[in-house]
Amino acid sequence: MALYIQYWQNGVCSFLQTNFPQVVMWRTLVSALGLCASAFAQSSTVDSYISTESPIAKAGVLANIGANGAKSAGAYPGVVVASPSSTDPDYLYTWVRDSSLVFQTLIDQYAFGQDTTLRSHIDNFISAEANMQQVTNPSGTVSTGGLGEPKFNIDETAFTGAWGRPQRDGPALRSTAMITYANWLISNNNESYVTDYLWPIIKLDLDYVMNTWNETTFDLWEEVESSSFFTSAVQHRALRQGSTLATMIGQTSVVSGYNTQANNILCFLQSYWNPSPGFMTANTGGGRSGRDANTVLASIHVFDVEAGCDGVTFQPCSDVALSNLKVYVDSFREIYNINTGIPAHEAVATGRYPEDVYQGGNPWYLTTFAVAEQLYDALIVWSNEGSLTVTDVSFPFFQQFDSSIMPGTYSCSTPTYSTLTTAIKKFADGFVSTAAKYTPSGGGLAEQYSRSNGTPTSAVDLTWSYASALTMFNARAGLTSASWGAAGLMVSPTCSTSKAATVPVVFNVNATTVLGQNIYLTGSVGALSDWNTADAILMSSADYPVWSTAVDLPANTQIQYKYIIIDSGDVTWESDPNNEFTTPRSGITTLNDVWR
Ligand code: NOJ
Ligand code: NOJ
């Protein structure tokens, strides 16, 4: 077993591999050297699954892409077949969503330099999608709504049967994949190809998003017609990236329109939040519990490593996204037979949503992988930042891994940080092991695996299942895609929604105390106990002499507060005047105070 020592150096957490056999020895070494560290044992089960499954998944994706894929006979060049299954279910079609997510994975691999042979596939994909944009279909023509058509025949003709249409995530995902490629081309001296050829294709999709994001849509599961979190989240991302690309290549006429609607979508996204018990309701319609992989997929597909743990854009390590993840995962613990007997805080099989009955309503590979991917993304950001923050919103999530955890910020030098990140890595690996356990020996990934015994079921060789394995494997290896501009985004001042009404604030105070004394926080708003010392918030001394806590406070509000010492019921107040600050409209605030 190899141990990896992670330490904080020149502003980055770095890794050092050692052969020390015992964590205890490692801890001693780390504290002796004063390094900021965490160590995690590599899981051999997951490592070996990844090494056998990676090439299978990659080949599985390529087999389903025309014209020469081994399992996609009849598909035109660059057309992605959802699955070669032609009956029960018949997936011998090409979906804009599946194809775009699959090519996002391949374009990222190409941009990472993982496989330079993908270039011709990418070029074929672009021309196939450009052709289908122009095909008149039951949703309309290219200029009257046809871009919202969810699926086509694999010879690029329209599918004219009854279906849940339109699905407005398609154009957003497709333009995002193409913009990723465009950005790569620009940094590799091929801007003219982007301007002359790619931009008009991308612009059609972005204009569609800009003009229609506010209209109802079928959700990504093609069942509920309302507004849908995944769709809104990927639409927001597409317009932001589109406006940046347009600026870069001098197409400035679209910029203000894209930015205005991106701001509106960002505001709207906040309204899906359900504060109790803390999750994003997947759809505004549909009459379900609202717990849905829709939201977890949204988080991983809007991940931007430069945006930190921002909740407004639902970054994987944000308090809202972690709380949401726990609520989502827990909704499957009791309903699948294969989850029986698994302890409450361990990984389980997860599916689209608990009420699902489609093809048996089983767990899905791609949703189980998505849970792992969100957690790996979170670990990447905490490691980059050298700390993690527990707020009152993410508290139930973190409590799964440390029952005595308290809200606060834990730097990577604290044992609490090591305990949490080690446990979360293990938890994430557990979802991979679950899917691995139910992957058949040849490594094929179907759409679902049986809720009663784990046997693969529904569509075989689902292209999206394979792509979801590949992106998750990259996240586990610490690879991140280029930033899309999520960092520092703010919800517009005129936006009013329930979630935008609060923002997380971290309070740190440097205070020397003696045994028996504890530092508490109290202040002028309900979340700070309204100056009532009996309800004041106990702070964590994990980073003593810095005492820390994190609280969600009303946004854009003037707040007064003080730290107090309580020693067997005796209260000692800080000296006057009260501390005072105004919360922002969005984003996390950290206050570093010294006891007065
Ligand atoms: C087929 C869709 O692809 C699937 O997502 C849906 O659950 C079923 N139709 C039932 O509506
Ligand atoms: C059904 C899924 O619900 C939908 O998201 C997907 O696009 C199609 N199957 C094709 O894989």
Side-chain angles (χ1 to χ4, degrees), residues 380-448:
I380 291 170
V381 175
W382 292 325
S383 169
N384 284 350
E385 299 200 331
S387 69
L388 68 76
T389 296
V390 179
T391 72
D392 52 345
V393 172
S394 55
F395 175 70
F397 169 81
F398 285 105
Q399 215 183 12
Q400 301 179 102
F401 312 107
D402 179 351
S403 57
S404 63
I405 190 72
M406 300 211 300
T409 292
Y410 300 93
S411 96
C412 71
S413 61
T414 59
T416 305
Y417 177 95
S418 309
T419 306
L420 291 175
T421 52
T422 304
I424 290 167
K425 171 82 175 356
K426 192 169 158 234
F427 186 55
D429 280 354
F431 291 91
V432 185
S433 310
T434 302
K437 179 173 171 188
Y438 300 120
T439 300
S441 56
L445 294 177
E447 179 184 75
Q448 313 185 15

Side-chain angles (χ1 to χ4, degrees), residues 524-540:
S524 59
V525 289
L528 295 178
S529 81
D530 271 326
W531 295 120
N532 180 352
T533 59
D535 292 336
I537 299 164
L538 174 61
M539 302 183 73
S540 160

Side-chain angles (χ1 to χ4, degrees), residues 84-223:
S85 170
S86 57
T87 49
D88 197 25
D90 181 0
Y91 275 20
L92 221 35
Y93 295 95
T94 186
W95 272 259
V96 179
R97 170 183 37 264
D98 297 47
S99 309
S100 301
L101 290 170
V102 164
F103 265 93
Q104 181 73 52
T105 305
L106 297 183
I107 291 166
D108 280 336
Q109 285 207 348
Y110 183 71
F112 288 148
Q114 288 176 321
D115 182 352
T116 53
T117 68
L118 292 170
R119 179 94 175 232
S120 58
H121 287 294
I122 297 168
D123 291 333
N124 288 341
F125 163 72
I126 289 165
S127 41
E129 296 298 324
N131 291 342
M132 286 184 281
Q133 281 183 326
Q134 303 295 331
V135 172
T136 297
N137 60 64
S139 295
T141 68
V142 62
S143 54
T144 64
L147 296 172
E149 181 69 5
K151 74 177 206 186
F152 290 82
N153 296 318
I154 62 177
D155 63 359
E156 300 175 1
T157 58
F159 165 75
T160 54
W163 209 252
R165 57 168 69 91
Q167 296 177 21
R168 303 186 197 275
D169 55 337
L173 295 167
R174 180 164 61 194
S175 57
T176 293
M178 291 189 192
I179 292 170
T180 307
Y181 185 46
N183 289 337
W184 183 89
L185 289 167
I186 291 170
S187 25
N188 288 275
N189 303 316
N190 207 344
E191 184 171 329
S192 59
Y193 177 79
V194 174
T195 313
D196 302 343
Y197 180 64
L198 282 184
W199 175 250
I201 302 166
I202 293 170
K203 181 175 183 292
L204 280 178
D205 281 344
L206 292 175
D207 287 353
Y208 175 87
V209 173
M210 172 180 75
N211 292 325
T212 65
W213 71 268
N214 213 1
E215 296 173 34
T216 57
T217 177
F218 275 84
D219 70 320
L220 81 169
W221 309 134
E222 320 189 281
E223 295 170 337

Side-chain angles (χ1 to χ4, degrees), residues 517 563-567 569-574 595:
Q517 297 183 329
Y563 301 103
I564 55 179
I565 294 177
I566 305 187
D567 188 348
D570 293 339
V571 177
T572 308
W573 289 83
E574 261 191 304
W595 169 270

